[in-house]
Amino acid sequence: MDQHQEQDQRSKDFKSSWVQSSSFLFYLQAFCLVAFLLGGCYSLYKHRYKGKPEVNVPANTQYTPEYK
């Protein structure tokens, strides 16, 4: 009975169960990747280009300059 409980406990252990640990690490990696992508998209949305600002350009620096 003692051996059976020990073997059952070992099969549930993260270090000794190759199948459970690899699936857990896969889902953890997938979750981190999705969280990173969503965080990057949100950051790009938050710092997006707001539009063309009004800029006053002096008349003497235009393509066809106007001098006084």
Side-chain angles (χ1 to χ4, degrees):
M1 183 96 167
D2 224 10
Q3 259 184 341
H4 179 60
Q5 285 179 343
E6 190 175 313
Q7 187 179 14
D8 190 39
Q9 187 68 21
R10 195 179 317 150
S11 69
K12 293 180 181 178
D13 190 19
F14 182 79
K15 293 183 288 186
S16 62
S17 178
W18 178 88
V19 175
Q20 286 181 345
S21 63
S22 64
S23 64
F24 171 73
L25 291 175
F26 172 75
Y27 288 121
L28 180 67
Q29 183 180 5
F31 174 76
C32 289
L33 180 66
V34 168
F36 181 74
L37 287 174
L38 288 176
C41 290
Y42 176 72
S43 179
L44 285 173
Y45 175 74
K46 188 176 169 186
H47 298 99
R48 70 187 185 276
Y49 182 65
K50 301 286 194 241
K52 188 175 179 181
E54 285 292 325
V55 178
N56 294 329
V57 179
N60 62 348
T61 60
Q62 292 179 353
Y63 185 72
T64 55
E66 299 172 9
Y67 297 107
K68 292 182 181 179

